[in-house]
């Protein structure tokens, strides 16, 4: 757990970068700092590992006063990942990752073995171990940066805009990987970004800062989207927040309808659409009315699928809206068709889901 109590940073020259910050980053969770350029995100982050010294206030990491700690000891327990990964250009990938364990006194062989394991953990092919950073793509370099930060197995991980230098597709896959990784490693992560979409996707809790180093709101993403505290946060959260907020609502009670279902080779429907299933009850796509049997060529790709129990209302609505037939497809946890879903059914489930999330 990381606790900021009235933490202020004023730089020589007078800039008030962080103003009386009170915030607790919970153990084993991802806390995101988001806000416009210059609002004090990086400064707040760097006070955690004492790369920046607070001017006043108290800052504790797992109960220990940061200002009383030996900086080298402190940093050993805190991994740090920055934009462009900050790799050593003249060291190979494996040696970049092994640097910290070697500094901690592990033998070269043990440190390299561990580095190879970590490459797999972060989704890097170990055949790249002997390459230099310049011989990797931006996304691969970021993965090396994450592996290096994890090498000493620190309980805390600080990440400063780690994914902002890569294209949107790679960025999304790095975000998904981080969430998958976090579900296994359960570190206390503080993640800085200026991208609100990244913040609400990754954060268990999101801190929105305004320029002047003031914390504007600190809440779970669903609350941020549904109840911004003021106009600044409302504007910062941006357009479509009502729709995006559906991503944080779940429902046990969306009423599923029935579906016309066919298998490959069956006659096509006389009228309207039917869903085509494979031999295991999983959806292959839709077929429209017409003559002749259902073949590969007559199948139209389906829309997104809604997984009963785990899917969000946003996923449910998207399933309904993206289906060529206007009927979304709900599946069970094994991917077998459970029923149809309409936009009306999703909207009907909304009030109860809202009440549940407010409770
Ligand atoms: N070493 C420094 N000396 C003086 N002023 C600084 C120093 N570092 C940061 N600042 C100032 O403190 C304020 C906060 O900077 P900080 O880097 O924390 O912002 P940020 O939210 O991370 O911005 P960005 O999104 O652009 O990275 C800015 O006004 C910045 O100019
Ligand atoms: Mg910054």
């Amino acid at each position: 757990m990381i606790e900021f109590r009235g933490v202020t940073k004023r730089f020589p020259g007078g800039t008030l970068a962080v103003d009386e910050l009170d915030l607790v980053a919970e153990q084993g969770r991802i806390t995101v700092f988001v806000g416009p350029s210059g609002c004090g995100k990086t400064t707040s982050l760097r006070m955690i590992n004492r790369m920046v010294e607070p001017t006043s206030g108290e800052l504790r990491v797992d109960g220990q006063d940061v200002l009383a700690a030996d900086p080298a000891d402190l940093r050993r327990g805190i991994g740090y990942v920055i934009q462009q990964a900050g790799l050593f250009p003249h060291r190979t990938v494996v040696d970049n990752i092994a640097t910290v364990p070697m500094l901690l006194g592990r033998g070269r062989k043990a440190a390299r073995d561990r580095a190879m394991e970590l490459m797999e953990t972060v989704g890097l092919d170990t055949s790249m171990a002997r390459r230099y950073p310049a011989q990797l793509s931006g996304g691969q370099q970021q993965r090396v940066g994450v592996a290096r930060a994890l090498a000493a197995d620190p309980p805390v991980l600080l990440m400063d805009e780690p994914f902002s230098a890569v294209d949107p597709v790679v960025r999304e896959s790095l975000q998904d990987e981080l969430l998958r990784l976090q579900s296994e490693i359960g570190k206390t992560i503080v993640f800085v970004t200026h991208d609100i979409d990244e913040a609400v996707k990754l954060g268990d809790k999101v801190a929105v800062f305004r320029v002047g180093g003031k914390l504007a709101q600190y809440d779970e993403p669903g609350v941020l989207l549904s109840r911004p505290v003021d106009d600044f946060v409302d504007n910062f959260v941006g357009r479509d927040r009502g729709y995006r907020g559906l991503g944080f609502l779940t429902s046990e009670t969306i009423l599923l309808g029935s579906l016309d279902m066919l298998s490959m080779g069956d006659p096509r429907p006389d009228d309207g659409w039917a869903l085509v299933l494979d031999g295991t009850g999983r959806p292959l796509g839709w077929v429209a009315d017409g003559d002749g049997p259902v073949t590969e060529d007559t199948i139209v790709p389906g829309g997104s699928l809604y997984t009963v129990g785990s899917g969000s209302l946003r996923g449910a609505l998207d399933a309904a809206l993206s289906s060529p037939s206007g009927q979304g497809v709900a599946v069970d946890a094994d991917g077998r068709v459970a029923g149809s879903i309409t936009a009306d059914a999703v909207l009907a489930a909304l009030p109860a889901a809202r009440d549940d999330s407010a409770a």
Side-chain angles (χ1 to χ4, degrees):
M1 178 169 89
I2 301 166
E3 300 165 83
F4 290 83
R5 304 277 175 217
V7 173
T8 292
K9 176 63 189 182
R10 188 181 290 278
F11 282 106
T15 305
L16 185 58
V18 179
D19 188 5
E20 295 278 331
L21 178 60
D22 284 303
L23 174 151
V24 173
E26 284 157 38
Q27 192 77 31
R29 294 303 174 98
I30 302 180
T31 300
V32 178
F33 292 174
V34 67
S37 186
C39 67
K41 304 179 295 293
T42 295
T43 304
S44 299
L45 190 76
R46 290 170 138 230
M47 286 193 284
I48 298 170
N49 65 2
R50 229 178 131 181
M51 289 168 75
V52 173
E53 301 252 337
T55 311
S56 59
E58 275 180 43
L59 215 172
R60 294 177 187 280
V61 175
D62 291 333
Q64 192 194 23
D65 182 355
V66 164
L67 284 174
D70 172 57
D73 283 345
L74 182 74
R75 281 174 211 150
R76 216 160 285 152
I78 303 180
Y80 187 50
V81 188
I82 55 172
Q83 197 182 338
Q84 313 278 20
L87 303 176
F88 304 115
H90 304 299
R91 284 187 204 167
T92 60
V93 166
V94 65
D95 285 343
N96 260 283
I97 301 170
T99 301
V100 178
M102 271 162 57
L103 284 176
L104 295 178
R106 284 226 205 173
R108 181 177 288 262
K109 165 94 172 65
R112 283 195 171 147
D113 288 349
R114 176 75 185 128
M116 297 298 258
E117 273 171 37
L118 281 163
M119 285 185 72
E120 281 171 15
T121 307
V122 300
L124 274 174
D125 200 301
T126 48
S127 66
M128 295 178 189
R130 298 274 157 224
R131 290 202 210 165
Y132 289 90
Q135 298 168 317
L136 300 179
S137 73
Q140 290 162 346
Q141 289 181 31
Q142 283 310 139
R143 287 170 196 262
V144 177
V146 173
R148 188 176 61 176
L150 292 173
D153 201 22
V156 173
L157 201 55
L158 308 181
M159 307 181 83
D160 194 350
E161 308 222 20
F163 306 151
S164 44
V166 294
D167 70 66
V169 175
V170 173
R171 186 172 189 167
E172 217 175 304
S173 76
L174 289 169
Q175 292 165 348
D176 293 337
E177 278 288 307
L178 179 67
L179 289 173
R180 182 195 58 76
L181 192 63
Q182 171 68 350
S183 71
E184 291 166 16
I185 60 182
K187 302 284 183 194
T188 304
I189 298 178
V190 183
F191 188 106
V192 167
T193 178
H194 55 255
D195 175 354
I196 185 70
D197 290 320
E198 183 164 76
V200 298
K201 175 172 175 181
L202 296 180
D204 292 301
K205 281 185 89 173
V206 177
V208 182
F209 288 77
R210 66 173 93 241
V211 174
K214 274 267 183 219
L215 180 61
Q217 185 166 359
Y218 184 43
D219 266 314
E220 289 171 9
V223 177
L224 210 60
L225 290 168
S226 59
R227 295 194 293 274
V229 290
D230 59 19
D231 288 346
F232 168 77
V233 179
D234 188 7
N235 274 321
F236 190 77
V237 165
R239 272 196 275 174
D240 301 333
R241 69 173 171 82
Y243 176 64
R244 283 150 63 207
L246 293 178
F248 298 93
L249 294 176
T250 52
S251 172
E252 304 294 320
T253 55
I254 299 176
L255 210 56
L256 300 187
S258 61
L259 279 166
D260 290 331
M261 294 185 276
L262 297 175
S263 301
M264 292 293 265
D266 286 346
R268 289 161 68 183
D270 295 330
D271 178 30
W273 292 86
L275 186 70
V276 184
L277 304 191
D278 68 10
T280 66
R282 293 176 174 85
L284 291 171
W286 290 88
V287 63
D289 47 17
D291 298 327
V294 177
T295 59
E296 294 278 359
D297 291 343
T298 59
I299 295 181
V300 178
S304 59
L305 300 173
Y306 167 70
T307 307
V308 177
S310 62
S312 68
L313 290 192
R314 179 176 175 167
L317 192 57
D318 193 69
L321 299 178
S322 64
S323 169
S325 69
Q327 283 182 297
V329 178
V331 294
D332 64 19
D334 295 323
R336 294 192 174 81
V337 173
S340 77
I341 199 161
T342 61
D344 286 345
V346 179
L347 297 181
L350 185 55
R354 275 206 176 122
D355 286 350
D356 284 353
S357 91

